[in-house]
Amino acid sequence: MRFVDLPILSAGSTSKISVLGFGCAPLMGRVGRMDSLKALAAAADAGINFFDTARSYGYGESEGLLGGFLKGRRQSAVICTKFGILPAKGGWKQKVKPLAQAAVRVFPGLRKHARKQAAGQTVSGQFSVPVLRESFEASLRELQTDYVDMLLMHAATMEVLDQDDLLEAMERLVESGKVRMAGISGEHPVIAETFRRKPGMLTTAQFALNLNCYPILRFEWDGAASPTA
């Protein structure tokens, strides 16, 4: 596995991140506990140390599974989590999930419908300082850590860039040491506008990229050009 340097150093934390990451969206969602743990173990055995999760993944249980898996090896891992999409409350989805998974195995055609139903059990666009605080503290508890390497606004809209109170709250989390890097995830227009404005407290971004559609992509951040071919 190849590693690159993280652009920010922190005492006691790794300064290297694997070029391949492990996306935790399926964990405790469409993938059960045992298979989720096997997948995490396979990723770690392959040298991957970057794990991308979110408060909403796995009906709110993905972070907890990842936190348990990383117990005893937290310092060598890079964790990215997100806020802004809230999982459904009540936990009843987890109780019926085994039945739903069994039904999909018998009738594969139900998979698309099941995914659509699962997507409807989250609440998106929740970008406020109170939600940030509550969601982030829940993430720390579930991940069994006192800091995360990256905290992103999850599927953010253009409007969040004008929410000075929210951006300032994220900046304070970085200053406190609870977050190493704050950033944003979203659609390309939102990311492009973020790069244009270059808000100082947002130092990382996550977005979908198909290299077949973008033969030459160049973003500039703080004067440094990063071409991708």
Side-chain angles (χ1 to χ4, degrees):
M1 180 60 61
R2 188 165 66 89
F3 295 83
V4 296
D5 292 328
L6 280 169
I8 185 170
L9 300 179
S10 180
S13 302
T14 183
S15 62
K16 301 287 187 179
I17 182 173
S18 55
V19 295
L20 293 179
F22 184 94
C24 298
L27 303 187
M28 301 304 290
R30 64 177 182 269
V31 180
R33 180 179 182 83
M34 294 305 298
D35 285 341
S36 293
L37 289 171
K38 289 179 182 177
L40 285 169
D45 289 345
I48 290 174
N49 77 335
F50 176 40
F51 298 91
D52 176 70
T53 186
R55 188 72 208 96
S56 60
Y57 288 171
Y59 307 109
E61 296 191 8
S62 174
E63 288 177 323
L65 186 79
L66 177 62
F69 175 78
L70 292 177
K71 194 171 184 179
R73 42 186 161 184
R74 171 67 185 96
Q75 301 305 316
S76 62
V78 177
I79 298 177
C80 172
T81 193
K82 314 177 197 69
F83 77 97
I85 301 179
L86 301 178
K89 295 183 177 180
W92 66 272
K93 283 287 181 180
Q94 281 294 334
K95 297 177 182 178
V96 302
K97 185 179 67 176
L99 296 176
Q101 289 175 333
V104 168
R105 283 195 294 269
V106 177
F107 304 103
L110 293 175
R111 186 178 302 278
K112 184 176 181 180
H113 177 72
R115 289 179 179 176
K116 185 180 296 186
Q117 289 296 312
Q121 301 308 312
T122 57
V123 183
S124 61
Q126 301 301 297
F127 299 108
S128 67
V129 174
V131 169
L132 165 61
R133 291 171 178 164
E134 182 178 354
S135 180
F136 181 61
E137 290 303 320
S139 291
L140 292 182
R141 288 194 303 270
E142 292 295 315
L143 291 166
Q144 301 179 45
T145 185
D146 57 2
Y147 75 98
V148 297
D149 300 280
M150 303 177 194
L151 177 66
L152 309 182
M153 292 180 279
H154 197 177
T157 59
M158 200 77 74
E159 288 73 20
V160 302
L161 297 175
D162 295 318
Q163 293 182 233
D164 292 338
D165 60 338
L166 181 63
L167 298 179
E168 290 170 2
M170 295 183 71
E171 186 173 27
R172 287 194 293 271
L173 286 175
V174 174
E175 293 171 348
S176 72
K178 290 185 175 182
V179 174
R180 295 178 71 187
M181 300 173 68
I184 186 170
S185 76
E187 298 294 334
H188 293 168
V190 177
I191 300 300
E193 180 64 13
T194 303
F195 284 8
R196 188 188 70 80
R197 297 192 190 188
K198 300 180 182 178
M201 72 292 296
L202 302 181
T203 57
T204 186
Q206 184 182 94
F207 52 95
L209 174 62
N210 185 331
L211 293 182
N212 291 325
C213 298
Y214 295 85
I216 298 177
L217 177 66
R218 181 181 296 270
F219 284 135
E220 293 187 2
W221 189 277
D222 291 337
S226 300
T228 301

